[in-house]
Amino acid sequence: DKEFDVVDASVPQQGPNYLLAKRIQQWRAIVARSKGIRVSINIAPASATESVTKNPVLRAAYAGVSFFPPTEVFHPTTTNSVMAAALLRDIFDEDSPSNPSK
């Protein structure tokens, strides 16, 4: 038997529809993985996207992040590049944790 860590990265300030969409995404990944399908479901670092910074609570939290080094909020283009690299590794690297045979 393999053990997996579970991360609850829920941010209630993003609303119930967002939370439900993320849960469905996770459930589908779990089902696919259980069927032996390679699954890439990485969690992106904090990003200053428009959808996040329009929320006043999250905007204030991001504005104060510099007081908590080494925490950093990334520009969306940086996050997109990092997540694309993670996805490519998950798809093409046979030693990636996304490979169900590993």
Side-chain angles (χ1 to χ4, degrees), residues 10 15 31 33 36 39 42 45 50-51 54 58-59 64 66 85 102:
S10 300
V31 169
R33 178 68 180 227
V39 172
N42 299 301
E50 184 179 339
S51 65
K54 72 179 180 182
L58 296 175
R59 186 172 49 248
S66 63
K102 293 294 171 184

Side-chain angles (χ1 to χ4, degrees), residues 6 9 20 25 31 44-45 51-52 59-62 67 69 72 88 91:
V6 175
L20 179 59
Q25 180 185 35
V31 169
S51 65
V52 171
R59 186 172 49 248
Y62 278 21
F67 295 105
E72 184 175 346
L88 290 172
I91 292 171

Side-chain angles (χ1 to χ4, degrees), residues 8-49:
D8 183 0
S10 300
V11 181
Q13 288 79 5
Q14 291 182 300
N17 292 338
Y18 179 83
L19 288 174
L20 179 59
K22 287 298 173 185
R23 283 290 177 253
I24 291 171
Q25 180 185 35
Q26 292 167 351
W27 294 334
R28 290 179 55 99
I30 290 167
V31 169
R33 178 68 180 227
S34 73
K35 294 179 179 179
I37 298 170
R38 186 180 290 243
V39 172
S40 178
I41 187 163
N42 299 301
I43 298 173
S47 304
T49 62

Side-chain angles (χ1 to χ4, degrees), residues 61-99:
Y62 278 21
V65 79
S66 63
F67 295 105
F68 301 94
T71 305
E72 184 175 346
V73 174
F74 292 91
H75 190 276
T77 55
T78 303
T79 302
N80 289 345
S81 297
V82 168
M83 296 307 292
L87 175 62
L88 290 172
R89 177 177 184 239
D90 287 348
I91 292 171
F92 296 110
D93 184 356
E94 290 302 315
D95 294 326
S96 169
S98 68
N99 186 347

